[in-house]
Amino acid sequence: MFIIGELINGMYSNVRKAIEKKDKSVIQKIASEQIRCGADALDINCGPASKNPKEDLPWLVEAVQEVIDKPLSLDSSKPEVIEEALKVTKNKAIINSTTADLEKLEILVDLAKRYHTKLIALTLSKKGVPQNKDQRLELAVQIISYCVEHDFPIEDLYLDPVVLPVNVAQAQQKDILESLKEFKLIYQIPPKTIVGLSNVSQGTLQRKLINRTFITMAISLGLDAAILDPLDKELMDAVITAELILNKQIYCDSYLEAYRKK
Ligand code: THG
């Protein structure tokens, strides 16, 4: 499982304040902790309150890169903000994200090719959030067709079915999970899949339990990557154990430690 740490996000008040004060040390501590807990990459999002995302996102990237040598996922709905951050990114980056809309695909697939990045694509369009798995599949087909026609390597594409909170979209959860399996059947090279895990539990009282139950089910349906809180130890233990059960790691009594050391 490819784990992207979610904690550098202006949605969190400590990060929002650090961005306002340009306090690098707060950001660098959150970055290092996430990697120490097993994150393979970090999501970087300056949050909806940022007045100047074209400056704030590159500032975050540079602050993180001073202490961490891992891929960064540049999280913004504005392509011009992502491009400013790409200009300062050292490692192979991840663009987070495009939608299935043609004008977004045109700009972001081109950016991903020019900067040799991976690309997360949400099965979302101007019509809004898909309401069932057929609508998700249709948008996934549009995204893959565009990538194939424009020579973007499918190996570098991650499809995101858009996870919704269980308290407002309970009837959709089964479809979201099953989409993960269906996306793999669209093309001869099965596209990778990703979810923003914490979305599922927003506004609920049992956040951690809901997160780890959802991810365990998603992993059994072939999930490749997740944006999540790597500091949640029970969550990380559940991820490692789900992968153990799927035979992605050899069993030994200390398999949790063995995974963390690798
Ligand atoms: N897909 C992709 N990218 C994404 C998402 C996705 N990026 C953003 C988001 N979704 C994933 N990251 C988060 C980060 C935090 C939370 C949820 C998802 C979260 N934050 C607390 C909340 O809102 O309750 C903030 C609490 C606080 O203020 O301290 O839940 O789906 N590709």
Side-chain angles (χ1 to χ4, degrees):
M1 173 74 48
F2 188 70
I3 306 280
I4 305 179
E6 73 178 9
L7 296 176
I8 301 182
N9 190 316
M11 215 196 285
Y12 294 103
S13 58
N14 57 339
V15 173
R16 187 165 59 242
K17 285 180 195 144
I19 296 172
E20 279 163 15
K21 291 193 216 145
K22 294 286 181 284
D23 181 351
K24 276 198 226 172
S25 66
V26 170
I27 303 299
Q28 291 172 337
K29 184 161 175 275
I30 304 169
S32 305
E33 272 176 352
Q34 293 186 88
I35 300 300
R36 183 177 51 78
C37 291
D40 302 297
L42 300 179
D43 194 59
I44 311 287
N45 183 323
C46 51
S50 165
K51 291 191 193 76
N52 201 347
K54 280 167 88 171
E55 272 173 31
D56 290 345
L57 200 64
W59 177 80
L60 282 170
V61 166
E62 289 186 311
V64 170
Q65 284 180 163
E66 282 178 18
V67 293
I68 288 302
D69 187 26
K70 294 275 181 186
L72 302 181
S73 154
L74 309 172
D75 190 352
S76 170
S77 57
K78 299 195 180 87
E80 64 276 17
V81 173
I82 291 176
E83 180 154 27
E84 288 309 306
L86 281 172
K87 288 178 187 166
V88 300
T89 304
K90 282 193 264 174
N91 287 328
K92 183 171 171 123
I94 304 157
I95 291 179
N96 185 14
S97 50
T98 180
T99 64
D101 289 317
L102 193 57
E103 51 274 41
K104 274 279 180 89
L105 283 167
E106 280 171 356
I107 300 171
L108 289 160
V109 170
D110 178 62
L111 262 188
K113 280 166 66 178
R114 279 198 280 127
Y115 285 88
H116 303 287
T117 75
K118 298 186 183 188
L119 176 63
I120 299 174
L122 306 171
T123 55
L124 204 63
S125 73
K126 281 205 196 105
K127 289 184 205 147
V129 178
Q131 293 303 310
N132 56 50
K133 75 181 174 180
D134 286 345
Q135 288 174 9
R136 284 187 168 78
L137 193 62
E138 193 181 319
L139 294 167
V141 170
Q142 286 171 23
I143 292 162
I144 292 176
S145 306
Y146 187 91
C147 290
V148 171
E149 280 163 24
H150 294 82
D151 294 322
F152 181 75
I154 299 303
E155 293 80 359
D156 283 339
L157 178 70
Y158 286 82
L159 289 176
D160 183 333
V162 188
V163 172
L164 303 169
V166 66
N167 62 349
V168 297
Q170 188 173 1
Q172 281 232 46
Q173 299 303 320
K174 194 164 170 263
D175 274 15
I176 293 168
L177 286 167
E178 285 173 5
S179 297
L180 297 170
K181 206 161 148 183
E182 292 186 355
F183 290 170
K184 298 264 175 206
L185 307 173
I186 295 174
Y187 190 60
Q188 69 227 40
I189 304 166
K192 296 191 185 74
T193 54
I194 186 165
V195 295
L197 180 65
S198 300
N199 301 6
V200 72
S201 63
Q202 267 175 330
T204 69
L205 288 179
Q206 295 290 347
R207 288 206 72 164
K208 289 182 160 195
L209 178 60
I210 292 170
N211 287 344
R212 64 178 186 266
T213 305
F214 184 95
I215 198 137
T216 308
M217 297 170 83
I219 290 171
S220 82
L221 294 167
L223 182 71
D224 298 287
I227 304 170
L228 54 71
D229 175 5
L231 273 49
D232 181 343
K233 182 165 183 298
E234 283 98 7
L235 174 62
M236 292 296 281
D237 285 350
V239 168
I240 297 165
T241 305
E243 297 223 300
L244 177 85
I245 288 169
L246 290 180
N247 201 23
K248 295 190 177 162
Q249 194 194 164
I250 295 167
Y251 178 82
C252 67
D253 287 345
S254 57
Y255 72 92
L256 291 171
E257 290 80 23
Y259 178 93
R260 287 194 162 89
K261 279 189 192 125
K262 82 171 167 61

